[in-house]
Amino acid sequence: MTTVQSPPAAPPTAIQRPRVVARAGLYAVLAANAAAVAWFFAQAGFASNALIVLGRLTGLYAALVMAFQLVLVARLPWLDRRIGMDRLTSWHRWTGFALLWTLLAHVVFISFGYAEGTDTGPIGEIVDLAETTEGVLRAVVAFFLILVVGAVSARYARRRLAYETWHFIHLYTYVAVVLAFTHQVAVGTTFTSSSVATGYWYGVWGVALGSVVLGRAVLPLWRNWRHQFRVTAVVPENDNVVSIYISGKDLDQLPARAGQFFLWRFLTADRWWQANPFSLSAAPDGKTLRLTAKAAGEGSAALRHVKVGTRVFAEGPYGAFTALHRTRPESVLIAGGVGVTPIRALLEEVQGHAVVIYRVGSDRDAVLYDELRDLALAKGAELHLVTGPPVPDKLAAAELARLVPDIAERDVFLCGPPPMMNAVLGSLRELNVPKAQTHFERFSLAG
């Protein structure tokens, strides 16, 4: 253990809560659009059949939810830095279930509403509408595509599919979006009820699709064209961990912060198609970027064989695991295993007194420990290396309270394997560490 005391930094004059501001902004935008949809719907007039009225209204809200889903996964930098890709992806998933139920309600209400007073029945009415009404067949196809995507995104199916397979199927969502939009243009009474309503819906879909194109295509392509990333060094840290140094043009203009990650794609014949999320293991210095990866799979194991000079396509930076979200002048940085990489980078950036707790199975597993020790000495931080088997829990509430008696008065940054993170989060709850002071990110969700 390395312990050097330094005077605590003065508390910030104002506590900024970027995540709260971003969430409030999203909720406000969604609520305003929900109200706008209801107003345009009322302005268009109601059908005589109550089921058709409900069907049209649920269809409009399904369109709004679908557009909102696109914004959540557009990887817009302003949202990503304040909320984090993992939380945005989680919201996207739950919004997807809301979309499924809303679309199902739309189909049921419309089919039963139009079948009322006829002999064809709901199923026959859908078939008749698909054959005789422009845009309905496209809506049926879109509905079944959404059902397929929803089925493969269920937890049971998702665990049994390779990421590449799931991602390929998930891309059909964009086909469903286009079909749904053309269906709305063709038969949507609210869409055509006034020029204002038409302009509103074109704006909603334009912003949603434009956000995806901007965040997922234009911005990554522009950054890679501008910065020209290349591998400059490959340094083994131990038998199964390697650090890769990457340089490029004008890296001082790249808006990356300690704690963030990129989706790295090394442009070799056998790896160009595969992207992996790795955190920066050193704070960006405007000249180089460094990632440090453990050989946890076939892709990461091959990194030690990447040649110097290899071109790199990097998407990012992503993530809200940064000092931007600090609420207290002092902090605790807790790392487990190779989760030390963003923690080591954060230690360079955080101000005030810091306590670093590094949990590993044995001393030889402590990757980057020498760097952590030197940084701790330079910054006047406390460094605790905690070793041993998972049981008994070395980071239980009592042990954390012993290592950091004032932990409830500090920000806590946590990164490590999911079981370790879940256990520590439970310990922090026992110690009454406020949720607003607990910062973590589940990088596996980034894909």
Side-chain angles (χ1 to χ4, degrees), residues 151-170:
V152 301
S153 297
R155 194 178 301 275
Y156 178 84
R158 180 68 185 88
R159 288 175 175 173
R160 286 159 178 77
L161 286 175
Y163 172 78
E164 289 77 14
T165 302
W166 171 85
H167 186 259
F168 178 77
I169 296 173
H170 208 75

PDB file of all heavy atoms in Angstrom, residues 151-170:
ATOM      1  N   ALA A 151     -38.109 -10.337 -30.679  1.00  0.00           N
ATOM      2  CA  ALA A 151     -37.908 -11.716 -30.218  1.00  0.00           C
ATOM      3  C   ALA A 151     -36.423 -12.027 -30.016  1.00  0.00           C
ATOM      4  O   ALA A 151     -36.032 -12.622 -29.007  1.00  0.00           O
ATOM      5  CB  ALA A 151     -38.523 -12.691 -31.216  1.00  0.00           C
ATOM      6  N   VAL A 152     -35.572 -11.613 -30.966  1.00  0.00           N
ATOM      7  CA  VAL A 152     -34.151 -11.917 -30.831  1.00  0.00           C
ATOM      8  C   VAL A 152     -33.474 -11.022 -29.795  1.00  0.00           C
ATOM      9  O   VAL A 152     -32.348 -11.300 -29.372  1.00  0.00           O
ATOM     10  CB  VAL A 152     -33.408 -11.803 -32.181  1.00  0.00           C
ATOM     11  CG1 VAL A 152     -34.004 -12.760 -33.191  1.00  0.00           C
ATOM     12  CG2 VAL A 152     -33.436 -10.376 -32.702  1.00  0.00           C
ATOM     13  N   SER A 153     -34.148  -9.938 -29.387  1.00  0.00           N
ATOM     14  CA  SER A 153     -33.579  -9.055 -28.368  1.00  0.00           C
ATOM     15  C   SER A 153     -33.995  -9.443 -26.966  1.00  0.00           C
ATOM     16  O   SER A 153     -33.496  -8.868 -25.987  1.00  0.00           O
ATOM     17  CB  SER A 153     -34.000  -7.593 -28.640  1.00  0.00           C
ATOM     18  OG  SER A 153     -33.490  -7.148 -29.870  1.00  0.00           O
ATOM     19  N   ALA A 154     -34.923 -10.408 -26.841  1.00  0.00           N
ATOM     20  CA  ALA A 154     -35.300 -10.901 -25.520  1.00  0.00           C
ATOM     21  C   ALA A 154     -34.085 -11.538 -24.859  1.00  0.00           C
ATOM     22  O   ALA A 154     -33.217 -12.100 -25.531  1.00  0.00           O
ATOM     23  CB  ALA A 154     -36.440 -11.904 -25.644  1.00  0.00           C
ATOM     24  N   ARG A 155     -34.036 -11.459 -23.544  1.00  0.00           N
ATOM     25  CA  ARG A 155     -32.847 -11.893 -22.817  1.00  0.00           C
ATOM     26  C   ARG A 155     -32.468 -13.342 -23.139  1.00  0.00           C
ATOM     27  O   ARG A 155     -31.296 -13.667 -23.334  1.00  0.00           O
ATOM     28  CB  ARG A 155     -33.086 -11.727 -21.315  1.00  0.00           C
ATOM     29  CG  ARG A 155     -31.821 -11.823 -20.478  1.00  0.00           C
ATOM     30  CD  ARG A 155     -32.132 -11.608 -19.014  1.00  0.00           C
ATOM     31  NE  ARG A 155     -32.743 -10.312 -18.795  1.00  0.00           N
ATOM     32  CZ  ARG A 155     -32.062  -9.195 -18.633  1.00  0.00           C
ATOM     33  NH1 ARG A 155     -30.753  -9.194 -18.718  1.00  0.00           N
ATOM     34  NH2 ARG A 155     -32.698  -8.060 -18.403  1.00  0.00           N
ATOM     35  N   TYR A 156     -33.453 -14.240 -23.217  1.00  0.00           N
ATOM     36  CA  TYR A 156     -33.165 -15.651 -23.469  1.00  0.00           C
ATOM     37  C   TYR A 156     -32.480 -15.833 -24.816  1.00  0.00           C
ATOM     38  O   TYR A 156     -31.466 -16.531 -24.942  1.00  0.00           O
ATOM     39  CB  TYR A 156     -34.458 -16.454 -23.417  1.00  0.00           C
ATOM     40  CG  TYR A 156     -34.283 -17.926 -23.724  1.00  0.00           C
ATOM     41  CD1 TYR A 156     -33.895 -18.823 -22.724  1.00  0.00           C
ATOM     42  CD2 TYR A 156     -34.486 -18.416 -25.018  1.00  0.00           C
ATOM     43  CE1 TYR A 156     -33.722 -20.174 -23.014  1.00  0.00           C
ATOM     44  CE2 TYR A 156     -34.319 -19.752 -25.306  1.00  0.00           C
ATOM     45  CZ  TYR A 156     -33.927 -20.638 -24.303  1.00  0.00           C
ATOM     46  OH  TYR A 156     -33.746 -21.965 -24.588  1.00  0.00           O
ATOM     47  N   ALA A 157     -33.041 -15.175 -25.869  1.00  0.00           N
ATOM     48  CA  ALA A 157     -32.470 -15.325 -27.206  1.00  0.00           C
ATOM     49  C   ALA A 157     -31.147 -14.597 -27.338  1.00  0.00           C
ATOM     50  O   ALA A 157     -30.207 -15.092 -27.978  1.00  0.00           O
ATOM     51  CB  ALA A 157     -33.470 -14.804 -28.238  1.00  0.00           C
ATOM     52  N   ARG A 158     -31.053 -13.424 -26.735  1.00  0.00           N
ATOM     53  CA  ARG A 158     -29.847 -12.600 -26.875  1.00  0.00           C
ATOM     54  C   ARG A 158     -28.616 -13.308 -26.334  1.00  0.00           C
ATOM     55  O   ARG A 158     -27.520 -13.192 -26.893  1.00  0.00           O
ATOM     56  CB  ARG A 158     -30.073 -11.262 -26.140  1.00  0.00           C
ATOM     57  CG  ARG A 158     -28.897 -10.304 -26.197  1.00  0.00           C
ATOM     58  CD  ARG A 158     -28.686  -9.786 -27.615  1.00  0.00           C
ATOM     59  NE  ARG A 158     -27.490  -8.966 -27.695  1.00  0.00           N
ATOM     60  CZ  ARG A 158     -26.280  -9.437 -27.930  1.00  0.00           C
ATOM     61  NH1 ARG A 158     -26.100 -10.734 -28.126  1.00  0.00           N
ATOM     62  NH2 ARG A 158     -25.251  -8.639 -27.996  1.00  0.00           N
ATOM     63  N   ARG A 159     -28.788 -14.058 -25.258  1.00  0.00           N
ATOM     64  CA  ARG A 159     -27.652 -14.763 -24.660  1.00  0.00           C
ATOM     65  C   ARG A 159     -27.159 -15.903 -25.526  1.00  0.00           C
ATOM     66  O   ARG A 159     -26.035 -16.373 -25.355  1.00  0.00           O
ATOM     67  CB  ARG A 159     -28.051 -15.309 -23.286  1.00  0.00           C
ATOM     68  CG  ARG A 159     -28.201 -14.239 -22.215  1.00  0.00           C
ATOM     69  CD  ARG A 159     -28.706 -14.839 -20.923  1.00  0.00           C
ATOM     70  NE  ARG A 159     -28.746 -13.850 -19.846  1.00  0.00           N
ATOM     71  CZ  ARG A 159     -29.265 -14.058 -18.647  1.00  0.00           C
ATOM     72  NH1 ARG A 159     -29.804 -15.240 -18.367  1.00  0.00           N
ATOM     73  NH2 ARG A 159     -29.265 -13.121 -17.721  1.00  0.00           N
ATOM     74  N   ARG A 160     -27.977 -16.360 -26.443  1.00  0.00           N
ATOM     75  CA  ARG A 160     -27.619 -17.524 -27.253  1.00  0.00           C
ATOM     76  C   ARG A 160     -27.216 -17.162 -28.677  1.00  0.00           C
ATOM     77  O   ARG A 160     -26.917 -18.047 -29.474  1.00  0.00           O
ATOM     78  CB  ARG A 160     -28.800 -18.505 -27.272  1.00  0.00           C
ATOM     79  CG  ARG A 160     -28.934 -19.250 -25.942  1.00  0.00           C
ATOM     80  CD  ARG A 160     -30.325 -19.809 -25.725  1.00  0.00           C
ATOM     81  NE  ARG A 160     -30.375 -20.546 -24.464  1.00  0.00           N
ATOM     82  CZ  ARG A 160     -30.437 -19.971 -23.272  1.00  0.00           C
ATOM     83  NH1 ARG A 160     -30.461 -18.649 -23.167  1.00  0.00           N
ATOM     84  NH2 ARG A 160     -30.465 -20.699 -22.160  1.00  0.00           N
ATOM     85  N   LEU A 161     -27.228 -15.889 -28.983  1.00  0.00           N
ATOM     86  CA  LEU A 161     -26.828 -15.439 -30.316  1.00  0.00           C
ATOM     87  C   LEU A 161     -25.478 -14.743 -30.261  1.00  0.00           C
ATOM     88  O   LEU A 161     -25.191 -14.011 -29.310  1.00  0.00           O
ATOM     89  CB  LEU A 161     -27.867 -14.459 -30.877  1.00  0.00           C
ATOM     90  CG  LEU A 161     -29.207 -15.029 -31.346  1.00  0.00           C
ATOM     91  CD1 LEU A 161     -30.140 -13.884 -31.742  1.00  0.00           C
ATOM     92  CD2 LEU A 161     -29.031 -15.975 -32.525  1.00  0.00           C
ATOM     93  N   ALA A 162     -24.670 -14.967 -31.273  1.00  0.00           N
ATOM     94  CA  ALA A 162     -23.434 -14.193 -31.400  1.00  0.00           C
ATOM     95  C   ALA A 162     -23.797 -12.734 -31.629  1.00  0.00           C
ATOM     96  O   ALA A 162     -24.838 -12.417 -32.221  1.00  0.00           O
ATOM     97  CB  ALA A 162     -22.604 -14.721 -32.570  1.00  0.00           C
ATOM     98  N   TYR A 163     -22.934 -11.839 -31.146  1.00  0.00           N
ATOM     99  CA  TYR A 163     -23.230 -10.408 -31.287  1.00  0.00           C
ATOM    100  C   TYR A 163     -23.431 -10.036 -32.749  1.00  0.00           C
ATOM    101  O   TYR A 163     -24.356  -9.287 -33.078  1.00  0.00           O
ATOM    102  CB  TYR A 163     -22.100  -9.566 -30.684  1.00  0.00           C
ATOM    103  CG  TYR A 163     -22.271  -8.088 -30.988  1.00  0.00           C
ATOM    104  CD1 TYR A 163     -23.184  -7.328 -30.278  1.00  0.00           C
ATOM    105  CD2 TYR A 163     -21.544  -7.488 -32.014  1.00  0.00           C
ATOM    106  CE1 TYR A 163     -23.372  -5.982 -30.579  1.00  0.00           C
ATOM    107  CE2 TYR A 163     -21.721  -6.143 -32.317  1.00  0.00           C
ATOM    108  CZ  TYR A 163     -22.635  -5.398 -31.596  1.00  0.00           C
ATOM    109  OH  TYR A 163     -22.826  -4.080 -31.891  1.00  0.00           O
ATOM    110  N   GLU A 164     -22.582 -10.551 -33.640  1.00  0.00           N
ATOM    111  CA  GLU A 164     -22.674 -10.190 -35.047  1.00  0.00           C
ATOM    112  C   GLU A 164     -24.021 -10.623 -35.642  1.00  0.00           C
ATOM    113  O   GLU A 164     -24.618  -9.898 -36.442  1.00  0.00           O
ATOM    114  CB  GLU A 164     -21.518 -10.820 -35.837  1.00  0.00           C
ATOM    115  CG  GLU A 164     -20.151 -10.199 -35.559  1.00  0.00           C
ATOM    116  CD  GLU A 164     -19.547 -10.648 -34.224  1.00  0.00           C
ATOM    117  OE1 GLU A 164     -20.058 -11.639 -33.653  1.00  0.00           O
ATOM    118  OE2 GLU A 164     -18.597 -10.000 -33.770  1.00  0.00           O
ATOM    119  N   THR A 165     -24.506 -11.826 -35.237  1.00  0.00           N
ATOM    120  CA  THR A 165     -25.803 -12.307 -35.729  1.00  0.00           C
ATOM    121  C   THR A 165     -26.931 -11.420 -35.230  1.00  0.00           C
ATOM    122  O   THR A 165     -27.814 -11.010 -36.002  1.00  0.00           O
ATOM    123  CB  THR A 165     -26.046 -13.753 -35.264  1.00  0.00           C
ATOM    124  OG1 THR A 165     -24.978 -14.579 -35.730  1.00  0.00           O
ATOM    125  CG2 THR A 165     -27.365 -14.284 -35.809  1.00  0.00           C
ATOM    126  N   TRP A 166     -26.911 -11.141 -33.928  1.00  0.00           N
ATOM    127  CA  TRP A 166     -27.950 -10.278 -33.347  1.00  0.00           C
ATOM    128  C   TRP A 166     -27.932  -8.900 -34.011  1.00  0.00           C
ATOM    129  O   TRP A 166     -28.983  -8.343 -34.340  1.00  0.00           O
ATOM    130  CB  TRP A 166     -27.730 -10.149 -31.845  1.00  0.00           C
ATOM    131  CG  TRP A 166     -28.624  -9.123 -31.223  1.00  0.00           C
ATOM    132  CD1 TRP A 166     -29.909  -9.294 -30.797  1.00  0.00           C
ATOM    133  CD2 TRP A 166     -28.303  -7.748 -30.975  1.00  0.00           C
ATOM    134  NE1 TRP A 166     -30.406  -8.121 -30.309  1.00  0.00           N
ATOM    135  CE2 TRP A 166     -29.449  -7.152 -30.400  1.00  0.00           C
ATOM    136  CE3 TRP A 166     -27.165  -6.965 -31.183  1.00  0.00           C
ATOM    137  CZ2 TRP A 166     -29.473  -5.808 -30.032  1.00  0.00           C
ATOM    138  CZ3 TRP A 166     -27.193  -5.626 -30.822  1.00  0.00           C
ATOM    139  CH2 TRP A 166     -28.332  -5.070 -30.255  1.00  0.00           C
ATOM    140  N   HIS A 167     -26.737  -8.340 -34.206  1.00  0.00           N
ATOM    141  CA  HIS A 167     -26.621  -7.001 -34.776  1.00  0.00           C
ATOM    142  C   HIS A 167     -27.138  -6.976 -36.212  1.00  0.00           C
ATOM    143  O   HIS A 167     -27.832  -6.022 -36.624  1.00  0.00           O
ATOM    144  CB  HIS A 167     -25.159  -6.553 -34.735  1.00  0.00           C
ATOM    145  CG  HIS A 167     -24.955  -5.136 -35.169  1.00  0.00           C
ATOM    146  ND1 HIS A 167     -24.495  -4.801 -36.425  1.00  0.00           N
ATOM    147  CD2 HIS A 167     -25.164  -3.964 -34.527  1.00  0.00           C
ATOM    148  CE1 HIS A 167     -24.433  -3.491 -36.532  1.00  0.00           C
ATOM    149  NE2 HIS A 167     -24.831  -2.962 -35.406  1.00  0.00           N
ATOM    150  N   PHE A 168     -26.855  -8.014 -36.983  1.00  0.00           N
ATOM    151  CA  PHE A 168     -27.321  -8.078 -38.368  1.00  0.00           C
ATOM    152  C   PHE A 168     -28.849  -8.095 -38.408  1.00  0.00           C
ATOM    153  O   PHE A 168     -29.473  -7.365 -39.202  1.00  0.00           O
ATOM    154  CB  PHE A 168     -26.759  -9.314 -39.069  1.00  0.00           C
ATOM    155  CG  PHE A 168     -27.234  -9.479 -40.480  1.00  0.00           C
ATOM    156  CD1 PHE A 168     -26.702  -8.716 -41.505  1.00  0.00           C
ATOM    157  CD2 PHE A 168     -28.238 -10.393 -40.788  1.00  0.00           C
ATOM    158  CE1 PHE A 168     -27.150  -8.853 -42.814  1.00  0.00           C
ATOM    159  CE2 PHE A 168     -28.690 -10.540 -42.092  1.00  0.00           C
ATOM    160  CZ  PHE A 168     -28.141  -9.770 -43.105  1.00  0.00           C
ATOM    161  N   ILE A 169     -29.467  -8.904 -37.557  1.00  0.00           N
ATOM    162  CA  ILE A 169     -30.932  -8.961 -37.519  1.00  0.00           C
ATOM    163  C   ILE A 169     -31.499  -7.624 -37.054  1.00  0.00           C
ATOM    164  O   ILE A 169     -32.511  -7.134 -37.559  1.00  0.00           O
ATOM    165  CB  ILE A 169     -31.393 -10.111 -36.596  1.00  0.00           C
ATOM    166  CG1 ILE A 169     -30.951 -11.455 -37.168  1.00  0.00           C
ATOM    167  CG2 ILE A 169     -32.908 -10.083 -36.424  1.00  0.00           C
ATOM    168  CD1 ILE A 169     -31.217 -12.630 -36.247  1.00  0.00           C
ATOM    169  N   HIS A 170     -30.826  -7.013 -36.085  1.00  0.00           N
ATOM    170  CA  HIS A 170     -31.301  -5.749 -35.526  1.00  0.00           C
ATOM    171  C   HIS A 170     -31.315  -4.634 -36.572  1.00  0.00           C
ATOM    172  O   HIS A 170     -32.099  -3.681 -36.463  1.00  0.00           O
ATOM    173  CB  HIS A 170     -30.407  -5.350 -34.348  1.00  0.00           C
ATOM    174  CG  HIS A 170     -31.114  -4.523 -33.316  1.00  0.00           C
ATOM    175  ND1 HIS A 170     -32.019  -5.065 -32.432  1.00  0.00           N
ATOM    176  CD2 HIS A 170     -31.064  -3.196 -33.031  1.00  0.00           C
ATOM    177  CE1 HIS A 170     -32.489  -4.113 -31.641  1.00  0.00           C
ATOM    178  NE2 HIS A 170     -31.935  -2.966 -31.987  1.00  0.00           N
TER     179      HIS A 170
END
